[in-house]
Structures are given as structure tokens and as C-alpha cells.
Amino acid sequence: MGDCNKQIWYGLYAVVIHHGKTIEHGHYYTYVKRRRPSANVEIPPGEIWEYDQAAATSGAWWFYTSDCTIIRCNGGFREVKKEKAYMLFYELLPKIPKIPTSMI
């Protein structure tokens, strides 16, 4: 048996949005989170990593993806949570996250 008192944390990493009258008709697009690299991560050639406040505070960037389009959300997660989610994807976190006091 597992430890019932063990804390397990999940983090949101993708949100699917649907615009249309039925699930068979309309358009689907996603917002996907990508962690920003730490100081010891080598940046692949051709990739540019820019600093922004949203990434600095959350440790991640959010990207809008639709068909052939991928755009980094300048508003970070604030932009994502304005949408009406159709489906959410979570990942098991390896350790308990530090939650900023502004979110409590």
C-alpha cells in the first residue's frame, strides 16, 4: 500500500480550446507550456530566448498553437486563462512547487 499522506502535485501544461457549434464542426487550437531553460542549459542553434516578466515569475512560457502557427503568448498564463477550456492536460510534478504568495 502507498502512503496516503504523501502529497502529489500536478501542473497544467496544455489547454485545448474549441470554437464551433459542435465537436465535429469548428476549430481546435491549443496553448502549451514550455519551461524556460535554466542557466546551465545549452540553447540550440537558431533558438532565441528572450526575458519577460511572465516567464521569470512562472518559470515557463506559454505558446498558442493552431495548424501551422506557433506564437509565444506575451501575456503568459494570464492570456491562456481568458479562454474557455475544452480539455486540460496535466503532468505529474517531481517535487512540491513553490507557490508565489500572490497566488495564495
Side-chain angles (χ1 to χ4, degrees):
M1 284 278 163
D3 182 2
C4 294
N5 295 322
K6 182 179 177 182
Q7 291 186 330
I8 299 174
W9 289 81
Y10 293 89
L12 181 67
Y13 77 91
V15 179
V16 177
I17 311 296
H18 174 258
H19 281 280
K21 293 185 180 191
T22 68
I23 59 173
E24 292 89 11
H25 297 92
H27 183 71
Y28 292 89
Y29 56 94
T30 63
Y31 288 94
V32 180
K33 180 172 71 172
R34 179 173 180 183
R35 285 174 191 74
R36 63 187 172 95
S38 61
N40 60 354
V41 172
E42 185 176 322
I43 298 172
E47 289 197 35
I48 299 172
W49 298 94
E50 299 174 9
Y51 173 87
D52 69 16
Q53 187 62 36
T57 57
S58 72
W61 287 308
W62 282 88
F63 290 85
Y64 164 88
T65 66
S66 175
D67 300 330
C68 298
T69 304
I70 301 174
I71 301 170
R72 186 163 63 96
C73 302
N74 290 330
F77 186 67
R78 289 184 307 274
E79 191 172 323
V80 177
K81 67 183 183 178
K82 292 178 184 177
E83 298 280 359
K84 291 184 179 181
Y86 175 74
M87 188 180 305
L88 303 173
F89 289 86
Y90 290 88
E91 63 182 335
L92 180 63
L93 299 177
K95 60 183 179 179
I96 297 173
K98 293 180 182 178
I99 302 172
T101 54
S102 62
M103 296 179 68
I104 297 175

